[in-house]
Amino acid sequence: MHGLDIVGFVKGVASADYNNDGRPDLLISRLDGPPMLLRNDGPAGPDKSPRAPWCFTDVAESAGLTRPRRSFPCWFFDYNNDGWPDIMISGYLIHDVGEIAADYLGRPVAAEKARLYRNNGDGTFADVSRECGCLLYTSRCV
């Protein structure tokens, strides 16, 4: 993808250099699809000059960011203080308060849960939501 031509119901955008290559990358959450992680590949074109169009590649699936399918806010932060930006994406779809109660009780729910992704330092992320105690719709990890 050259430049950015995103069509969809975008609900959140965050920027960080997740792969520590010196270029800011973009994280996009959408109400109508899975999250997008746009790796900044720098200037395109034969001379790679700063005036050339910049190229971004959606690497979300290969990086392990596939959920939530419907999301709202998103952000980068280093939750484990290892120097690599991690990702938090909040879920959106909820039918009623019963789903929140079921989640607190540890019962299965169909709603989209918030996801915490740990940066593995190799261009991929691990979903650590369960082990960190992320709760449905609270964006709170305990």
Side-chain angles (χ1 to χ4, degrees):
M1 165 187 314
H2 282 44
L4 298 174
D5 188 12
I6 308 295
V7 176
F9 199 164
V10 172
K11 299 305 292 179
V13 177
S15 177
D17 183 9
Y18 83 90
N19 55 2
N20 287 336
D21 66 357
R23 294 186 296 262
D25 307 295
L26 296 172
L27 173 65
I28 298 175
S29 71
R30 302 181 297 162
L31 184 60
D32 59 353
M36 300 175 76
L37 179 61
L38 301 177
R39 182 186 63 217
N40 185 340
D41 296 325
D47 64 353
K48 303 282 186 191
S49 76
R51 293 180 187 204
W54 284 63
C55 181
F56 290 85
T57 303
D58 184 3
V59 296
E61 190 170 335
S62 62
L65 302 175
T66 59
R67 308 282 302 164
R69 303 272 315 156
R70 301 180 107 196
S71 57
F72 210 82
C74 63
W75 56 95
F76 284 101
F77 72 115
D78 187 5
Y79 88 95
N80 57 356
N81 296 314
D82 66 355
W84 292 90
D86 306 300
I87 291 175
M88 183 77 179
I89 305 174
S90 287
Y92 181 79
L93 184 62
I94 185 171
H95 297 289
D96 57 40
V97 71
E99 287 186 323
I100 294 174
D103 189 51
Y104 274 99
L105 295 171
R107 296 191 177 144
V109 294
E112 288 281 9
K113 291 186 176 191
R115 304 291 174 146
L116 176 62
Y117 291 99
R118 182 189 66 233
N119 190 326
N120 294 323
D122 62 1
T124 66
F125 291 82
D127 184 344
V128 295
S129 307
R130 173 172 265 147
E131 64 200 62
C132 289
C134 290
L135 303 174
L136 180 65
Y137 296 106
T138 62
S139 298
R140 185 182 110 209
C141 296
V142 291

